[in-house]
Amino acid sequence: MAKSLSILFVTSEVIPFAKTGGLADVSAALPLALTELGHDVRIVVPKYGTVSERRNRIHEIKRLKDIPIMVAGEETMATVKSSQVVNSRAKVQVYLVTNDKYLEPVKGIYQNPTTGKDFPNNDERFIFFQKSVLETCIRLGWRPDVIHCNDWQTALIPVFLKELYAKDNFFAHTRVVFTMHNLAYQGSFPASTFEKTGLSPKLFAGNGLEHGGNINFMKAGIVYADAVSTVSPTYAKEILTPAHGFGLEGVLKKHKEKLFGIMNGVDTEIWGPETDKLIDTKYSRASLEGKFENKTALAAKFNMVADLDTPMVGMIGRMVAQKGYDLIVDAIDELAKAGIQLVIMGEGEKKYLAALEKAARKYKNIGLVPGYDEEMAHQIQAGSDMLLMPSQFEPCGLNQLYALAYGTVPIVHRTGGLADSIVDYNPKKGAGNGFAFTQYDTAGLLEALKRAIALYRDEEKWEALLQSIMEEDHSWKASAADYVEKMYRKP
Ligand code: ADP
């Protein structure tokens, strides 16, 4: 048997403590799956002001108090607290980093919740967090075999480790790997931010952290990590092109030999109709009538009446261009008249919200949840017949995988992880697990929806489709093993 590894998983969000999107789900589920494979995994995450200590059973750790951290030439103190993430099969230790300047007083993860704007000191907040992570290991006397960094908020750790801690032998045997969950968010700050890191000025220009005149945290992760990954095989190829690399395609191409695409999985205990604690009626492949009860309950929330002949179509996603809201807004009248009930939930840009609010007032068969509601996300998955995911681009996408588990047929734009996980239904063969459109436009979206509605009318074929998609295995097991073999083990 190969040696089991000690792994520190570094992330800016993890359920149940802090979540803005898929990263938080992955940050709990992957460490749990790795633990099940026999590895010693611990998670470290910032403790934002919104995280309740009592509700989350967060405890103090005596020797992890008041650790001095240098940010922008000033010393500030980190305190690290302890909690766990658990499922029925495993539990993982979580370290939560707090601080009186950058984290505790702030009611938001990346943005001020009242203005919807990024915090102006996000550079300092996450420089602080990343330095605290390494100091925590030293205080604990714990030399992990692997530090797994996720997204720009943690992407300076590889450079800190190799430059600031190079002389000190502590991390000599630690491999540092970096996963990019979305190239659209890179952590790009003015050049003046570079000085706040405490790194030698020679690391900025040339092949350093500089990108387009700014300091780019994600670039640091790509250049300095021992292995780099993103969250699906198709997206790993797409990001090498100008259309999806958001300016980093050149850097990525240069480091292509250490770049992997590993698909995210699903924690089926949290996202599965048999065990889901947040839905009205549990159900399974053998008791699909339970799904209609969820549809009835969902419809009622929007003053609609669930109807066996009218498909309920759900959409859950951050209200940003990436998720395809331009198509939805442009096609809203056609969608309203397509013979469906449509429920959309999301939080984000006002222009989409305003257009959808108007549509929800105009059409009785359109429901809108403007905001973020974890419970409602589960209820939409369980109560919908179809899930709409017309993303412009999609690194992996979790919602379409969750939908499969709930017998909710995904309708997707064929891009990134959606292309890797959803196979367009072929009526002749009865094969496929959803409906996919290739051309990113309203005609493509409406055509895929039309085909889905036509199949929905064929009760027998629809039932067969639900039976087969609910049987698919998208658990973390295979992907967790991939991380170990491709990323964590030294070549
Ligand atoms: P991304 O990470 O780009 O936001 P994913 O599909 O990978 O997209 O993951 C989205 C996760 O965030 C899912 O767990 C989904 O249920 C959740 N989510 C997104 N928007 C909302 C919302 N408005 N309310 C509740 N949960 C949401």
Side-chain angles (χ1 to χ4, degrees):
M1 260 267 295
K3 172 182 168 277
S4 77
L5 299 169
S6 53
I7 302 157
L8 183 62
F9 192 91
V10 192
T11 180
S12 57
E13 44 184 282
V14 58
I15 52 158
F17 307 103
K19 172 168 171 176
T20 68
L23 174 63
D25 292 357
V26 170
S27 296
L30 173 57
L32 284 164
L34 290 163
T35 304
E36 279 188 73
L37 293 177
H39 302 287
D40 169 17
V41 193
R42 307 182 200 179
I43 299 167
V44 58
V45 64
K47 184 190 165 296
Y48 308 99
T50 40
V51 182
S52 148
E53 294 199 13
R54 218 165 43 138
R55 207 160 1 100
N56 290 294
R57 296 166 191 258
I58 295 171
H59 306 289
E60 307 223 324
I61 311 174
K62 271 214 185 92
R63 59 192 165 133
L64 296 183
K65 258 192 176 158
D66 297 329
I67 308 170
I69 305 290
M70 287 295 282
V71 181
E74 270 181 45
E75 197 174 87
T76 175
M77 296 299 171
T79 288
V80 182
K81 300 187 177 184
S82 159
S83 189
Q84 290 181 332
V85 297
V86 288
N87 65 13
S88 68
R89 302 177 302 271
K91 65 174 176 237
V92 175
Q93 162 82 49
V94 181
Y95 296 116
L96 296 113
V97 177
T98 76
N99 164 272
D100 291 338
K101 182 173 173 186
Y102 295 122
L103 296 166
E104 207 58 63
V106 192
K107 300 267 174 273
I109 299 184
Y110 315 119
Q111 296 182 337
N112 181 329
T114 29
T115 63
K117 295 233 159 63
D118 285 356
F119 292 120
N121 65 345
N122 271 348
D123 57 345
E124 292 187 23
R125 293 174 77 225
F126 288 101
I127 289 169
F128 164 79
F129 170 62
Q130 298 177 85
K131 290 192 168 184
S132 304
V133 169
L134 296 174
E135 288 299 322
T136 300
C137 291
I138 292 172
R139 282 275 174 124
L140 287 168
W142 186 55
R143 301 161 195 259
D145 296 314
V146 178
I147 297 183
H148 186 163
C149 305
N150 292 277
D151 275 350
W152 71 262
Q153 296 87 348
T154 68
L156 292 179
I157 289 180
V159 55
F160 286 158
L161 199 93
K162 289 178 182 174
E163 297 291 343
L164 297 182
Y165 293 85
K167 284 193 203 79
D168 147 359
N169 251 334
F170 193 86
F171 294 108
H173 300 288
T174 299
R175 197 173 152 76
V176 60
V177 306
F178 175 53
T179 299
M180 300 169 291
H181 297 260
N182 195 334
L183 264 289
Y185 306 94
Q186 299 183 356
S188 179
F189 297 97
S192 55
T193 290
F194 183 79
E195 288 157 35
K196 300 176 180 174
T197 63
L199 289 163
S200 157
K202 70 176 196 297
L203 299 178
F204 187 62
N207 290 325
L209 276 53
E210 185 269 338
H211 188 69
N214 285 354
I215 170 174
N216 186 305
F217 284 26
M218 190 169 260
K219 183 185 175 194
I222 298 166
V223 173
Y224 281 85
D226 296 309
V228 178
S229 72
T230 188
V231 286
S232 70
T234 294
Y235 193 60
K237 288 191 202 118
E238 287 174 345
I239 58 177
L240 302 178
T241 67
H244 292 97
F246 288 94
L248 283 180
E249 58 277 5
V251 181
L252 285 162
K253 266 199 213 147
K254 209 162 147 192
H255 294 276
K256 212 173 129 193
E257 75 294 342
K258 64 173 179 183
L259 174 66
F260 300 91
I262 303 177
M263 193 77 190
N264 286 334
V266 176
D267 185 328
T268 46
E269 242 169 63
I270 297 176
W271 293 99
E274 291 178 60
T275 43
D276 192 329
K277 294 193 186 84
L278 302 174
I279 61 177
D280 291 279
T281 309
K282 294 191 193 359
Y283 63 95
S284 68
R285 288 172 69 220
S287 58
L288 263 176
E289 60 286 353
K291 186 165 177 64
F292 189 74
E293 289 181 39
N294 286 290
K295 178 170 169 175
T296 306
L298 179 66
K301 292 198 168 88
F302 298 92
N303 292 321
M304 298 180 202
V305 179
D307 176 3
L308 274 176
D309 296 326
T310 308
M312 172 69 80
V313 181
M315 174 161 174
I316 307 160
R318 294 178 293 111
M319 262 183 207
V320 293
Q322 182 206 331
K323 297 291 176 186
Y325 279 98
D326 287 306
L327 297 191
I328 299 295
V329 168
D330 285 352
I332 199 72
D333 294 317
E334 283 110 316
L335 288 168
K337 291 168 190 158
I340 60 172
Q341 292 172 322
L342 177 62
V343 169
I344 301 174
M345 173 163 73
E347 185 179 46
E349 290 175 30
K350 289 207 173 66
K351 63 172 177 182
Y352 300 125
L353 192 61
L356 294 173
E357 267 170 352
K358 200 170 137 207
R361 276 195 303 271
K362 183 167 170 194
Y363 298 110
K364 282 202 182 68
N365 59 333
I366 294 185
L368 179 70
V369 188
Y372 188 95
D373 183 338
E374 189 76 25
E375 194 171 286
M376 182 66 87
H378 287 252
Q379 292 166 357
I380 292 175
Q381 289 282 10
S384 300
D385 297 297
M386 303 164 191
L387 186 88
L388 212 47
M389 234 172 139
S391 307
Q392 210 174 8
F393 68 93
E394 192 57 80
C396 176
L398 289 171
N399 275 321
Q400 84 280 13
L401 301 177
Y402 299 159
L404 294 170
Y406 287 84
T408 303
V409 177
I411 301 171
V412 308
H413 174 222
R414 196 189 310 242
T415 179
L418 297 171
D420 287 324
S421 55
I422 303 304
V423 179
D424 193 38
Y425 184 78
N426 179 328
K428 283 202 194 94
K429 295 186 187 147
N433 62 357
F435 293 86
F437 59 100
T438 307
Q439 200 59 30
Y440 181 75
D441 56 23
T442 52
L445 165 68
L446 292 168
E447 181 270 336
L449 176 67
K450 213 167 124 192
R451 288 191 290 124
I453 296 171
L455 192 75
Y456 181 83
R457 306 236 178 277
D458 187 329
E459 212 177 303
E460 220 168 279
K461 285 193 179 142
W462 188 258
E463 162 88 23
L465 177 59
L466 300 200
Q467 290 292 337
S468 86
I469 66 176
M470 290 175 82
E471 208 185 357
E472 291 184 11
D473 180 3
H474 295 280
S475 70
W476 264 102
K477 210 168 171 196
S479 293
D482 258 7
Y483 272 104
V484 175
E485 294 320 315
K486 294 182 175 147
M487 301 275 286
Y488 298 166
R489 298 241 186 248
K490 290 199 178 81

